[in-house]
Amino acid sequence: GALDETNSWVGKQVIITNYIQAASNCIVSAPHYLVCCVNDCESLLGEIEEAVGSPVAEPSELLAVVGNLSSQATLSDDPPRDLKGSLTNQLEQI
């Protein structure tokens, strides 16, 4: 991602490129349609967007939502997520 500091009203924002939905990840490509692979992250992102309900959120709110996601991302029953460490610290610094 890239850090965007151009908007003083909103503040710093992270711009993340969506490579998963890019045409290069599609099986069939024609001028009027694409047949693309299923995006496994779509349900997780949808759950986060629904819980947050706005285009911006505090890091603590995002961490609480991600820590309680009901969508299963793996085949095993994962224990509750312990969201600590350098990525959490980086998120809080934005």
Side-chain angles (χ1 to χ4, degrees):
L3 183 61
D4 179 9
E5 300 178 278
T6 59
N7 191 332
S8 61
W9 184 71
V10 175
K12 297 178 183 177
Q13 297 179 348
V14 176
I15 301 171
I16 301 172
T17 306
N18 188 351
Y19 292 108
I20 294 173
Q21 295 294 336
S24 61
N25 286 336
C26 296
I27 300 167
V28 177
S29 178
H32 54 284
Y33 71 92
L34 298 172
V35 177
C36 301
C37 299
V38 174
N39 181 351
D40 295 330
C41 297
E42 193 63 39
S43 63
L44 296 171
L45 291 173
E47 193 170 337
I48 293 169
E49 289 172 353
E50 183 177 333
V52 171
S54 70
V56 294
E58 292 295 322
S60 58
E61 183 180 4
L62 288 174
L63 291 169
V65 170
V66 171
N68 292 312
L69 286 175
S70 62
S71 301
Q72 190 172 354
T74 64
L75 295 176
S76 64
D77 291 329
D78 293 335
R81 295 164 189 89
D82 184 20
L83 302 174
K84 295 180 183 170
S86 62
L87 292 177
T88 300
N89 293 335
Q90 288 176 1
L91 176 64
E92 291 171 349
Q93 291 177 8
I94 297 175

